[in-house]
Amino acid sequence: MRVIFLGAPGTGKGTQAVWLSDKFTIPQISTGDILRKAVADGTELGKKADVVMKSGGLVSDDLIIALVRERLDQPDCRPGFILDGFPRTIAQGESLDLMLGRDGAIQSVIFFEVSEAEIVRRLTSRRTCSGCARNYNMISDPPPASGLCGSCGGRIIQRPDDSEETVRKRLQVYDEKTAPLKEFYNKQKKLYILRAEQPVERVREELAALLSGL
Ligand code: AMP
């Protein structure tokens, strides 16, 4: 299975990708998680990405494409993978097609459809484990009162780019740069719409039904 989860930030792609990755034993490749780790580790990539990420902008296509190319070359990607947060521009989508070639091509692109008001509500109430990247939500799935992650014991934080101002900027960047990918994959007849504004379990059921029908 080689799938892309496409959609604005905060539409639940990461949550469903974790579940699907577990179910099919294929890696979830989240470029956001890879970049956040690089920032935490203080690598060259991390230093370049840090300022851009805090501002809500996009890291340069060249850097991201090189990063994904290297990741997809790892042996654990052979049985399949879930791309979560990549591609985010048409240039990234075109590079991915070239990278994979016809034999390894993406089979389906799942578009996570959620209204903007709901996205802002979800992102500004999101909290994230600084250790394992697990997400919590102050409204629907609050973290333990200790402030430590229930999965790994890591410290739970609000991502700097989840502040309301930066969320609005990220959504604007999404509209300009990422939304055109919907049409890009529609033309390739690979696009499937998932009604992702429903509760997590319902979205999971719909996703499972959708994938089993492919
Ligand atoms: P995410 O966790 O997917 O919301 O990503 C967090 C931030 O990482 C984004 O706001 C971007 O600054 C950066 N980022 C993640 N994936 C990409 C990508 N494919 N292209 C460019 N920047 C990215």
Side-chain angles (χ1 to χ4, degrees):
M1 179 185 292
R2 294 179 297 276
V3 292
I4 292 173
F5 281 3
L6 182 67
T11 49
K13 303 185 300 293
T15 302
Q16 300 299 343
V18 167
W19 167 77
L20 195 66
S21 158
D22 206 41
K23 184 173 157 74
F24 288 97
T25 329
I26 52 173
Q28 166 205 12
I29 301 174
S30 157
T31 40
D33 284 351
I34 297 173
L35 290 171
R36 275 184 290 280
K37 180 158 189 316
V39 171
D41 292 347
T43 66
E44 279 310 307
L45 169 67
K47 283 180 200 146
K48 284 185 190 149
D50 194 24
V51 184
V52 183
M53 290 171 77
K54 282 201 179 109
S55 76
L58 290 186
V59 174
S60 79
D61 285 338
D62 288 355
L63 276 181
I64 290 284
I65 290 163
L67 180 157
V68 171
R69 188 191 305 276
E70 200 184 309
R71 181 66 189 86
L72 290 178
D73 266 348
Q74 305 294 314
D76 65 327
C77 291
R78 269 180 220 137
F81 49 80
I82 305 155
L83 284 172
D84 162 16
F86 179 92
R88 256 177 156 98
T89 63
I90 295 283
Q92 292 179 17
E94 287 170 346
S95 293
L96 180 66
D97 282 348
L98 289 175
M99 221 184 280
L100 296 175
R102 195 196 296 207
D103 292 342
I106 291 295
Q107 292 149 337
S108 42
V109 178
I110 314 292
F111 177 73
F112 284 59
E113 193 169 63
V114 176
S115 68
E116 182 168 330
E118 174 66 9
I119 290 174
V120 172
R121 195 185 70 84
R122 283 186 188 181
L123 284 181
T124 51
S125 59
R126 177 161 79 177
R127 298 294 181 274
T128 306
C129 172
S130 55
C132 70
R134 175 174 165 185
N135 284 328
Y136 293 88
N137 186 288
M138 295 310 284
I139 301 163
S140 56
D141 179 21
S146 64
L148 300 176
C149 177
S151 297
C152 78
R155 207 163 54 84
I156 292 163
I157 55 157
Q158 179 174 39
R159 275 171 46 177
D161 57 348
D162 278 347
S163 67
E164 179 153 358
E165 192 192 342
T166 312
V167 163
R168 300 251 177 229
K169 168 79 195 297
R170 286 163 72 198
L171 289 177
Q172 188 191 335
V173 169
Y174 168 80
D175 280 341
E176 282 169 20
K177 305 266 174 69
T178 311
L181 281 167
K182 230 178 130 181
E183 189 46 31
F184 178 82
Y185 287 115
N186 192 28
K187 276 196 193 133
Q188 294 191 11
K189 305 210 181 317
K190 290 181 180 167
L191 190 77
Y192 298 87
I193 309 283
L194 182 67
R195 294 179 304 158
E197 193 154 335
Q198 311 177 82
V200 177
E201 298 73 31
R202 280 292 306 142
V203 176
R204 183 171 302 159
E205 283 163 21
E206 273 203 26
L207 176 62
L210 200 157
L211 291 172
S212 68
L214 295 179

